[in-house]
């Protein structure tokens, strides 16, 4: 049986990816690896530290030692470490946000990136720029940080988080061709908005990332 390793920074993400996997790849076995230090230390430092990069690389190695055929890292804040791990291991190491960035670049030239954390906003925007450069496309990125939304959700105030994110999507993203959500947790806000509130297509990483993982597993004959 094909086995996909999912590397998370929060135990709350496991059910989200279990639900997607049940629809997209019911015959694939999932193994979840959770280490909250990767995001908590990154937020505390304000940037991705070398120690965290090494920890991400170790987690990827642990997933392969446990028998995984492909490793998918589900946090955008640690993307640089995922790229390093991909260079170090023979098995496929995937960023959950790569497929999302490719989709956005294919959609238009003016791309909005919305986040609730600066430590996620910056690497996500950088990934979109890199994908565009690889494809030889000229793009403009409109960044929007939803100030206060992350603190609100961490305090258990989901309603305030959703309100701030909704304002960012409807007011901060006017005139863009595509919108990228730097955090998967923001997707529920899009689903709750009235039809037509956001004119541009909105891309979130979990579904697209899992579709990419499914395709990579299939290419391996797993």
């Amino acid at each position: 049986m094909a086995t996909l390793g999912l590397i998370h920074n929060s135990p709350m993400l496991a059910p989200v990816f279990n639900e997607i996997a049940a629809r997209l790849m019911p015959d694939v076995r999932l193994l979840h690896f959770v280490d909250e230090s990767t995001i908590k230390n990154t937020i505390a430092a304000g940037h991705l530290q070398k120690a965290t990069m090494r920890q991400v690389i170790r987690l990827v190695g642990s997933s392969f030692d446990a028998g995984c055929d492909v490793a998918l890292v589900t946090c955008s804040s640690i993307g640089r470490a995922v790229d390093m791990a991909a260079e170090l291991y023979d098995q496929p190491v995937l960023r959950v946000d790569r497929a999302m960035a490719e989709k956005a670049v294919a959609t238009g030239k003016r791309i909005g990136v919305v986040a609730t954390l600066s430590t996620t906003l910056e690497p996500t925007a950088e990934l979109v720029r890199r994908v565009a450069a690889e494809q030889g496309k000229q793009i403009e990125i409109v960044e929007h940080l939803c100030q206060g939304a992350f603190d609100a959700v961490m305090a258990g105030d989901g309603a305030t988080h959703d309100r701030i994110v909704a304002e960012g999507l409807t007011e901060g993203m006017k005139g863009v061709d595509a919108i990228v959500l730097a955090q998967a947790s923001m997707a529920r806000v899009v689903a709750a908005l009235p039809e037509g509130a956001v004119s541009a297509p909105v891309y979130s990483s979990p579904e697209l990332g899992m579709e990419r993982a499914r395709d990579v597993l299939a290419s391996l004959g797993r």
Side-chain angles (χ1 to χ4, degrees):
M1 178 182 287
T3 302
L4 174 64
L6 291 156
I7 296 163
H8 308 297
N9 60 26
S10 168
M12 293 186 294
L13 290 170
V16 174
F17 284 86
N18 282 339
E19 186 275 326
I20 297 171
R23 289 186 283 106
L24 296 182
M25 49 181 105
D27 297 329
V28 172
R29 181 172 72 130
L30 300 185
L31 291 180
H32 297 279
F33 300 81
V34 180
D35 187 339
E36 293 179 300
S37 74
T38 57
I39 188 62
K40 289 185 176 179
N41 291 347
T42 300
I43 293 170
H47 65 279
L48 180 60
Q49 297 175 301
K50 290 180 180 178
T52 301
M53 293 182 192
R54 291 192 294 270
Q55 179 62 3
V56 172
I57 291 166
R58 283 192 291 268
L59 287 163
V60 170
S62 295
S63 74
F64 292 136
D65 290 343
C68 296
D69 301 296
V70 173
L72 175 66
V73 183
T74 64
C75 173
S76 297
S77 292
I78 56 177
R80 277 179 58 214
V82 184
D83 294 335
M84 289 180 183
E87 294 289 325
L88 294 173
Y89 294 102
D90 293 328
Q91 300 97 319
V93 181
L94 308 177
R95 288 180 62 154
V96 74
D97 50 3
R98 173 82 195 196
M100 172 180 71
E102 291 173 359
K103 199 95 168 176
V105 169
T107 301
K109 292 185 175 181
R110 197 162 190 260
I111 299 169
V113 179
V114 186
T116 62
L117 280 170
S118 60
T119 51
T120 310
L121 180 63
E122 292 161 14
T124 303
E126 190 274 332
L127 175 64
V128 174
R129 288 190 191 95
R130 178 144 49 94
V131 167
E134 289 169 3
Q135 297 183 9
K137 290 190 173 182
Q138 294 287 330
I139 63 165
E140 176 190 354
I141 293 183
V142 179
E143 298 181 6
H144 184 86
L145 182 63
C146 299
Q147 295 278 5
F150 183 80
D151 290 338
V153 80
M154 286 296 99
D157 187 356
T160 296
H161 166 277
D162 292 0
R163 176 182 57 77
I164 295 171
V165 172
E167 288 172 1
L169 288 167
T170 55
E171 299 300 320
M173 291 285 104
K174 289 180 177 177
V176 299
D177 300 319
I179 298 170
V180 166
L181 301 182
Q183 278 125 317
S185 56
M186 304 164 78
R188 71 169 191 258
V189 181
V190 179
L193 288 172
E195 189 173 346
V198 180
S199 56
V202 181
Y203 299 114
S204 183
S205 59
E207 192 95 10
L208 293 170
M210 288 290 274
E211 287 177 3
R212 175 64 51 83
R214 176 198 60 195
D215 295 345
V216 170
L217 283 166
S219 73
L220 297 173
R222 303 309 302 244

